[in-house]
């Protein structure tokens, strides 16, 4: 009997020692990641995730959709650690004395976004995690949900028509060189960009002093086609000696103004809103479109701003 007990105690001691050894020598650093192809520039995700809107959304999202984490996650504010050009990190504190590091990585060439979770654990935490298999499954669910919900949130923003009416504003007298053309709405931006590049090259070649960035005038806006005039302001009137590029004068005066937010998807709708704002007023000059925040300022199309102006009598 004594030998049996000694053998049993020895086996228990050996098993316990082996278990402790296995847990202790298990890697201290853990990593889980998931990657998905996305449709929009990395800056869209970085700006959203680091914004107050994005942070408030996730505070609510954690509480509502991950109640299984109530024994692990504290309700502390998720903290932004670093923000670089193509990566963004958050710390998520846990009640077990360690922190999850959530890292978002963006590959512009592959057009992918990856979210990963890393954390380091001491022996007591390793022991807890060894018996808590649901924790790792929950992290996987968390990563998939974070990525999917972010994509949906950004797609929703791109699907919104955003604008702000600024009412009546005065416009100053000015001169500008211009190229005229017509396009349907789908090819409008591309055709205007080409015309503006030609204007800039023409001004440089002929030593014409230009003021500010290129803009657009619309002598006539129709439902399907748009007659446009790509333009750049000049310091005075110039005789261009060109069949296609002319110098023109805008006498200024009063106008109504609207700011369109985002890319050109809903630009037509913004023009319709501004045109409806004319009411009993009469338009006195071609409509004016100025890109106040464009792709040269930020790669995030959601932050682009275009000022629309209707001169009135």
């Amino acid at each position: 009997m004594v030998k049996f007990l000694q053998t049993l105690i020895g086996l228990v001691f050996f098993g316990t020692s082996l278990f402790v050894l296995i847990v202790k020598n298990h890697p201290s650093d853990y990593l889980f990641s998931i990657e998905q192809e996305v449709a929009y520039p990395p800056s869209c995700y970085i700006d959203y995730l680091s914004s107050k809107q994005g942070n408030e959304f996730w505070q609510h999202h954690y509480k509502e959709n991950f109640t299984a984490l109530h024994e692990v996650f504290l309700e502390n504010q998720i903290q932004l650690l670093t923000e670089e050009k193509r990566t963004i990190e958050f710390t998520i504190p846990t009640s077990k004395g360690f922190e999850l590091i959530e890292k978002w990585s963006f590959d512009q060439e592959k057009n992918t976004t990856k979210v990963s979770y890393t954390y380091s654990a001491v022996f007591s935490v390793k022991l807890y995690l060894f018996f808590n298999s649901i924790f790792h499954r929950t992290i996987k669910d968390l990563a998939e949900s974070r990525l999917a919900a972010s994509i949906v949130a950004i797609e929703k923003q791109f699907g919104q028509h955003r604008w702000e009416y600024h009412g009546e504003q005065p416009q100053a007298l000015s001169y500008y060189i211009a190229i005229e053309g017509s396009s349907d709405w789908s090819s409008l931006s591309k055709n205007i960009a080409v015309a503006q590049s030609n204007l800039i090259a023409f001004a440089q070649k002929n030593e014409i002093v230009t003021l500010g960035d290129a803009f657009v005038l619309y002598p006539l806006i129709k439902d399907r086609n748009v007659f446009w005039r790509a333009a750049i302001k000049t310091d005075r009137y110039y005789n261009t000696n060109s069949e296609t590029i002319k110098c023109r004068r805008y006498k200024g005066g009063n106008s109504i103004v609207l700011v369109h937010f985002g890319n050109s998807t809903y630009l037509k709708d913004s023009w319709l809103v501004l045109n409806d704002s004319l009411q009993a007023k009469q338009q006195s000059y071609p409509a004016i479109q100025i890109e106040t925040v464009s792709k040269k300022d930020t790669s995030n199309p959601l932050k682009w701003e275009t000022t629309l102006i209707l001169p009135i009598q």
Side-chain angles (χ1 to χ4, degrees), residues 55-106:
N55 190 275
E56 289 176 349
F57 172 79
W58 287 115
Q59 289 297 320
H60 172 78
H61 187 69
Y62 275 120
K63 294 176 184 178
E64 294 294 326
N65 299 329
F66 286 95
T67 53
L69 294 176
H70 70 279
E71 294 182 354
V72 178
F73 287 93
L74 300 175
E75 293 187 359
N76 293 21
Q77 184 82 355
I78 301 169
Q79 298 177 350
L80 175 64
L81 277 183
T82 62
E83 182 179 348
E84 300 173 3
K85 186 175 182 181
R86 294 184 183 176
T87 63
I88 190 170
E89 292 184 1
F90 297 90
T91 59
I92 304 175
T94 73
S95 59
K96 300 303 175 183
F98 66 97
E99 294 179 336
L100 287 174
I101 306 300
E102 180 186 78
K103 182 175 182 179
W104 293 75
S105 305
F106 308 94

Side-chain angles (χ1 to χ4, degrees), residues 40-55:
Y40 303 108
S43 55
C44 298
Y45 299 89
I46 293 175
D47 290 342
Y48 174 73
L49 289 165
S50 57
S51 69
K52 181 180 179 182
Q53 175 192 8
N55 190 275

Side-chain angles (χ1 to χ4, degrees), residues 206-273:
N206 291 274
E207 298 182 347
I208 295 175
V209 179
T210 58
L211 307 173
D213 295 327
F215 61 98
V216 187
L217 296 97
Y218 296 110
L220 184 61
I221 298 177
K222 293 185 175 182
D223 186 50
R224 293 185 178 180
N225 294 315
V226 181
F227 291 86
W228 48 265
R229 190 182 293 167
I232 304 178
K233 283 186 180 180
T234 61
D235 62 334
R236 59 180 177 83
Y237 179 82
Y238 287 87
N239 185 359
T240 60
N241 294 317
S242 171
E243 292 294 326
T244 57
I245 299 178
K246 304 291 183 182
C247 190
R248 298 175 179 272
R249 175 180 176 269
Y250 169 47
K251 67 178 182 179
N254 207 10
S255 66
I256 54 174
V257 178
L258 178 146
V259 175
H260 168 83
F261 300 101
N263 57 21
S264 60
T265 303
Y266 294 100
L267 184 61
K268 175 184 175 182
D269 301 87
S270 289
W271 274 117
L272 292 175
V273 170

Side-chain angles (χ1 to χ4, degrees), residues 109-156:
E109 294 181 358
K110 293 169 58 181
N111 206 33
T112 58
T113 293
K114 179 166 65 175
V115 59
S116 61
Y117 291 86
T118 58
Y119 52 99
S120 297
V122 296
F123 177 76
S124 59
V125 174
K126 289 182 185 180
L127 194 61
Y128 166 77
L129 295 176
F130 186 86
F131 290 105
N132 192 350
S133 60
I134 192 175
F135 177 77
H136 295 97
R137 292 200 303 270
T138 306
I139 292 299
K140 180 178 181 294
D141 293 341
L142 177 63
E144 292 174 345
S145 177
R146 283 277 274 171
L147 184 56
S150 294
I151 291 173
V152 170
I154 291 169
E155 287 178 344
K156 183 178 179 180

